[in-house]
Amino acid sequence: MSLLIQNGIVVNDDFMVKADVLIENGTIREVGKDFPIPENTRVIDATNRLILPGGIDPHTHMQLPFMGQVAVDDFYAGTRAALAGGTTMIVDFVIPSKDSTPLEAYSLWRNWADPKVCCDYALSMAITTWNDKVAEEMQLLTTPEYGINSFKFFLAYKNVFMVRDGEFFQGLKQCAKIGALARVHAENGDVIAEKQQELLQLGVTGPEGHTQSRQEELEAEATNRACTLAGQANCPLYVVHVMSKGAAKAIAAHRQKGYVVFGEPIAAGLACDGRHYYNEDWSHAAAYVLSPPLSRDPNTPETLMDLLSCNQLNLTATDNCTFTCSQKRMGLNDFTKIPNGVNGVEDRMSVVWEKGVHAGKIDPMRFVAITSSTAARIFNMYPRKGRIQPGSDADLVVWNPNATRVISSKTHHHACDFNIFEGMEVHGVPEITICRGKVVWENGELNVDAGWGRFIPVAPNCDYVFGAVKARQKHLQPISVKRNLTSLDNNLIPPQSESTNSSSLENSDLEAVVSDNKPGDQEEQSIETLIKEVAENLISE
Ligand SMILES: NC(=O)NCCC(=O)O
Ligand SMILES: [Zn+2]
Ligand SMILES: [Zn+2]
């Protein structure tokens, strides 16, 4: 059966127009007016409504095994919640434990997700250890058979997921080589581990210890470091869950220098702040424990939205990783054992509308960009996803910008029993959600089938991500200066030892000297020193 959405305003990230949308076989067939309507077409009236591309949440952790628990939103509950909130696609993370390989973990995640997903999904792979096999598997994972085009590195969670800078740098270089986007959780894991112990020893055991052990500077420092290292590897970088002004500033500074860096704030960070950690109710405070923590500066949420509005930050996600209050109680006597993670996938669209469009900071087109189309572009699935035009997947939301609702755990579709946005009134309500042509959410009811969602393989070498990087690569070729050393003062050149088989260093050019250089050979090192000096002089001239 075909579907016609009439009389609404179609919103893409670059234009808004009053138009009808015809859907056939899961795909958008027509966008416009007065086109022929097939028989047996269901008509949806969208008068006074916007028709938006379905939301894409580029950062979720459904049923993640983490900190001794398993996130309670599995691929069924989590994707149902997504659809109820107007999100029609997620990008979830495969996170191999240190003793398994990326390929093993990939199969595990596919087996978990495929039978349960109610909306489409793609995968991003975390790299939690480094060796040649991991590098090889990264390459394999970018082939069409596996369909992965991004890899995430944790600079926190010491001894669990964290990689060291050297490993991270190798990973960045490999990403650049295979045309994959690098993603990073940026916090200084070593310092956090020490701070945690210090606080516990001082008797700070509650959730307030979480924020005190993870000072914002540690996020800013790691973000700056990650951007710097990505620049050195000439690798595009995507910073997940940007939670603080300092981290956002580091991203903006690198973007201003021309680095390809994307910054992703999450719904939690746009609507909540770190005062919750000091709530006297332990369960309340623990419910907000995620990493990096919510900012203790109450102005941060607004600043993050301001930066989204001017594209210094680029898209929104949720980091949806939910635990029940009883799971959180694992850390009752020790905040370092509280499972990290919060909800978001159901409420992100409304929260971003409220804080962005309703607050007067962005227009509906920018809303589409930061909730859907930029994710589609970055992960190389645009315009199949994130766009309302003929040929695109029919993932749509009929959005009522004037309606309001109050967020509550009593009415949400998550499997957890706490909602971090509890009591928040939001304007902007997803009244109908359509996922690949199927009406899955309507009149406050879900009509979904486990396994309806499809895995969407994504290809590497995305122009949106790599275009600028490739252009820059041309200007980053190592420079070698050919020069005739005979013109140099002979006194500066140490005499050749018997053992040097290079017949005449005076006649050699720089390349030959560099490639012949054997570490530990004192005489050749002094030549190297000399050449360095000459090169430095040339540069300073
Ligand atoms: N963010 C969080 O606290 N939990 C999920 C894992 C991660 O993304 O760091
Ligand atoms: Zn993270
Ligand atoms: Zn995450």
Side-chain angles (χ1 to χ4, degrees):
M1 189 177 68
S2 310
L3 201 59
L4 179 70
I5 311 173
Q6 267 186 332
N7 303 324
I9 295 175
V10 170
V11 187
N12 276 311
D13 64 5
D14 53 355
F15 73 92
M16 295 170 60
V17 65
K18 191 155 188 193
D20 301 339
V21 180
L22 179 68
I23 295 165
E24 273 180 338
N25 302 324
T27 306
I28 298 171
R29 280 275 165 259
E30 301 272 4
V31 180
K33 281 279 173 203
D34 304 325
F35 43 74
I37 300 163
E39 273 180 30
N40 199 15
T41 294
R42 178 183 166 193
V43 177
I44 293 173
D45 181 25
T47 304
N48 295 330
R49 310 287 191 275
L50 304 176
I51 307 170
L52 310 175
I56 300 173
D57 185 342
H59 181 168
T60 66
H61 302 283
M62 303 307 174
Q63 67 189 80
L64 175 70
F66 188 38
M67 300 182 74
Q69 302 294 312
V70 176
V72 71
D73 277 338
D74 64 4
F75 281 96
Y76 180 67
T79 54
R80 272 168 56 92
L83 291 168
T87 287
T88 51
M89 175 155 188
I90 60 168
V91 182
D92 203 82
F93 285 93
V94 178
I95 310 188
S97 56
K98 289 255 187 211
D99 54 4
S100 77
T101 70
L103 278 182
E104 285 163 359
Y106 177 91
S107 302
L108 204 58
W109 255 258
R110 288 295 303 272
N111 289 337
W112 287 340
D114 285 353
K116 288 190 189 171
V117 278
C118 302
C119 70
D120 288 354
Y121 80 107
L123 290 172
S124 193
M125 173 66 64
I127 297 300
T128 52
T129 188
W130 188 256
N131 55 49
D132 290 347
K133 189 162 185 235
V134 169
E136 255 170 54
E137 291 193 359
M138 281 173 73
Q139 172 129 42
L140 200 57
L141 283 161
T142 59
T143 59
E145 188 185 346
Y146 297 98
I148 282 193
N149 67 4
S150 62
F151 295 90
K152 176 179 177 185
F153 301 85
F154 290 92
L155 304 185
Y157 305 130
K158 191 173 177 183
N159 300 328
V160 185
F161 299 145
M162 186 171 112
V163 289
R164 304 246 148 240
D165 282 358
E167 298 171 318
F168 177 41
F169 189 57
Q170 293 303 320
L172 288 165
K173 288 205 298 186
Q174 180 67 353
C175 281
K177 189 170 150 198
I178 63 179
L181 174 65
R183 306 177 79 185
V184 67
H185 172 134
E187 283 184 295
N188 189 317
D190 278 322
V191 177
I192 289 167
E194 286 211 21
K195 294 259 172 200
Q196 287 176 330
Q197 292 318 309
E198 277 168 27
L199 283 156
L200 287 173
Q201 273 157 26
L202 290 169
V204 183
T205 58
E208 65 280 8
H210 180 70
T211 174
Q212 292 175 65
S213 63
R214 304 179 102 98
Q215 304 272 333
E216 293 193 15
E217 286 81 354
L218 300 179
E219 188 194 352
E221 179 277 322
T223 304
N224 190 56
R225 179 163 32 107
C227 293
T228 306
L229 295 182
Q232 291 299 306
N234 200 25
C235 182
L237 183 70
Y238 178 123
V239 184
V240 299
H241 47 43
V242 178
M243 301 299 284
S244 64
K245 288 181 188 173
K249 212 168 141 188
I251 292 166
H254 283 86
R255 285 177 64 79
Q256 279 156 25
K257 283 195 276 181
Y259 285 49
V260 181
V261 185
F262 303 105
E264 168 214 88
I266 60 173
L270 292 167
C272 309
D273 65 60
R275 285 174 292 187
H276 289 289
Y277 299 122
Y278 296 88
N279 194 296
E280 286 186 0
D281 175 350
W282 188 94
S283 292
H284 180 104
Y288 290 84
V289 166
L290 85 157
S291 295
L294 296 165
S295 170
R296 280 195 273 168
D297 175 346
N299 298 319
T300 298
E302 202 171 333
T303 302
L304 294 177
M305 182 50 83
D306 288 339
L307 292 169
L308 276 166
S309 74
C310 63
N311 207 31
Q312 294 295 0
L313 295 174
N314 315 95
L315 73 171
T316 61
T318 63
D319 198 10
N320 195 91
C321 183
T322 55
F323 299 98
T324 62
C325 293
S326 115
Q327 288 177 306
K328 292 259 177 186
R329 271 198 285 277
M330 296 305 296
L332 195 55
N333 301 312
D334 177 348
F335 68 85
T336 68
K337 297 193 166 59
I338 302 170
N340 285 206
V342 297
N343 63 288
V345 77
E346 181 164 356
D347 300 314
R348 175 185 65 130
M349 299 284 278
S350 291
V351 164
V352 174
W353 185 275
E354 180 69 19
K355 301 292 180 186
V357 186
H358 189 72
K361 290 182 187 290
I362 59 172
D363 62 30
M365 292 175 286
R366 182 71 189 148
F367 176 78
V368 166
I370 65 176
T371 56
S372 179
S373 65
T374 302
R377 290 175 200 272
I378 289 177
F379 294 98
N380 216 1
M381 48 201 182
Y382 185 86
R384 176 177 176 188
K385 301 287 186 190
R387 183 96 185 155
I388 302 179
Q389 70 178 32
S392 295
D393 283 358
D395 296 341
L396 301 166
V397 189
V398 178
W399 188 263
N400 187 343
N402 302 313
T404 59
R405 70 186 179 98
V406 177
I407 299 176
S408 174
S409 65
K410 293 186 184 65
T411 48
H412 72 198
H413 296 82
H414 292 279
C416 55
D417 45 4
F418 191 95
N419 190 312
I420 58 164
F421 310 113
E422 186 73 33
M424 181 177 166
E425 188 186 37
V426 284
H427 298 76
V429 171
E431 289 183 337
I432 298 176
T433 307
I434 297 165
C435 182
R436 260 186 306 101
K438 180 175 152 81
V439 177
V440 286
W441 168 252
E442 191 177 16
N443 301 323
E445 301 222 330
L446 281 160
N447 174 22
V448 295
D449 296 318
W452 165 258
R454 295 269 161 79
F455 175 67
I456 307 290
V458 283
N461 292 306
C462 171
D463 285 340
Y464 188 79
V465 171
F466 273 89
V469 163
K470 280 183 188 153
R472 180 190 305 179
Q473 185 66 37
K474 289 190 198 131
H475 299 277
L476 289 179
Q477 299 308 320
I479 298 165
S480 129
V481 179
K482 293 202 192 270
R483 43 179 85 77
N484 183 351
L485 296 185
T486 48
S487 61
L488 292 175
D489 182 348
N490 279 343
N491 293 338
L492 286 172
I493 302 177
Q496 299 304 297
S497 79
E498 300 285 322
S499 62
T500 306
N501 61 8
S502 162
S503 55
S504 160
L505 273 173
E506 288 106 89
N507 291 331
S508 62
D509 63 30
L510 176 71
E511 279 169 326
V513 172
V514 170
S515 60
D516 281 347
N517 185 29
K518 303 176 202 77
D521 183 326
Q522 227 185 346
E523 286 151 356
E524 289 195 3
Q525 288 216 333
S526 51
I527 293 287
E528 199 193 353
T529 314
L530 170 68
I531 289 164
K532 268 193 197 142
E533 276 170 20
V534 174
E536 274 160 18
N537 287 340
L538 274 174
I539 289 163
S540 66
E541 275 164 31

